[in-house]
Amino acid sequence: MKRVVILISGRGSNMEALVGAREAGELPVDIVAVISNKADAGGLATAQAHGIATAVVAHKEFATREDFDAALQAKIDGYQPDLVVLAGFLRVLTTAFVEHYAGRMINIHPSLLPAFPGLHTHERAIEAGCKLHGATVHFVTPELDHGPIIVQAAVPVLPGDTPDDLAARVLKQEHVIYARAVRWFAANQLRVKKGVVTVELPDAQQLVVAQ
Ligand code: GRF
């Protein structure tokens, strides 16, 4: 079974969705640890309540980004993960760190990338008059919120939506697609060629998709 470490900075609802999928028997992975850069991240208590090991590597205790990333890397590697899952982990990562986990670190971003990398995505989508918005799971590369796209979900932007309304609609879909992406990774179904991801589905699933 593939070993997964999840990194969070806050409430951890995506992490909780992954833990829930695993507990429901829908995600055959071993979630070996949840690590936060903030000691007060709400998701840490959630993870502990599910019996998952937690750790904190506080970025504030390090003088440089390089020092923090090195300490974080050492902590992560102590759990020997096959996959590192960024789930609302609000830190810009150094190239060395990202390259260490090349092909085995994924992120979820609340927009239909390559539109709206960075922060305040829901507000920006409303201001741009988008009729569709959504979320993207992608492999992490050194450029922020770029990297090969594994799966996306789109939702409508409705008249009168506030950023919070839209965020809530998107978040529901995040919880669905993140588990799906991790399941594909765990089953070795993801192929990346020239920056494009394809999913190799077993024959039975191909049939369902084709119908
Ligand atoms: C999500 O919207 C995710 O897409 C973004 O940060 C938010 C984290 O939410 N990267 P949660 O901590 O998983 O609830």
Side-chain angles (χ1 to χ4, degrees):
M1 193 129 40
K2 292 252 196 285
R3 296 169 65 82
V4 175
V5 166
I6 304 177
L7 304 190
I8 63 168
S9 297
R11 71 188 159 186
S13 74
N14 276 290
M15 175 273 298
E16 193 174 6
L18 294 173
V19 170
R22 191 207 56 172
E23 288 176 353
E26 294 161 3
L27 190 57
V29 298
D30 201 358
I31 299 176
V32 290
V34 171
I35 302 175
S36 175
N37 62 313
K38 289 183 166 186
D40 61 354
L44 289 171
T46 309
Q48 285 157 10
H50 287 270
I52 297 170
T54 61
V56 174
V57 183
H59 64 273
K60 283 187 175 161
E61 288 171 14
F62 296 87
T64 67
R65 208 175 273 287
E66 286 72 20
D67 289 349
F68 168 68
D69 279 9
L72 180 62
Q73 184 176 313
K75 179 60 79 179
I76 294 170
D77 287 352
Y79 292 101
Q80 300 184 299
D82 300 292
L83 177 66
V84 177
V85 171
L86 306 184
F89 187 65
L90 302 176
R91 295 292 303 166
V92 173
L93 299 164
T94 58
T95 297
F97 181 92
V98 171
E99 283 177 352
H100 178 72
Y101 297 106
R104 54 192 182 110
M105 180 158 66
I106 62 178
N107 180 45
I108 190 156
H109 181 75
S111 79
L112 293 172
L113 291 173
F116 309 123
L119 298 174
H120 309 301
T121 56
H122 309 301
E123 204 174 332
R124 287 156 66 202
I126 291 170
E127 276 169 10
C130 293
K131 306 303 178 225
L132 283 175
H133 183 48
T136 302
V137 180
H138 63 96
F139 282 106
V140 178
T141 54
E143 197 177 347
L144 183 72
D145 296 332
H146 280 67
I149 292 169
I150 298 169
V151 59
Q152 294 181 303
V155 301
V157 181
L158 300 177
D161 265 352
T162 64
D164 284 351
D165 295 334
L166 189 52
R169 197 174 302 126
V170 170
L171 191 65
K172 255 189 175 174
Q173 298 307 315
E174 292 184 32
H175 298 164
V176 174
I177 62 173
Y178 220 176
R180 191 171 297 165
V182 173
R183 197 178 313 123
W184 286 335
F185 183 94
N188 297 314
Q189 287 175 300
L190 299 178
R191 304 281 173 273
V192 189
K193 204 172 161 189
K194 291 187 184 165
V196 174
V197 179
T198 50
V199 187
E200 287 198 348
L201 296 175
D203 287 350
Q205 284 181 42
Q206 297 274 19
L207 270 178
V208 173
V209 171
Q211 276 165 2

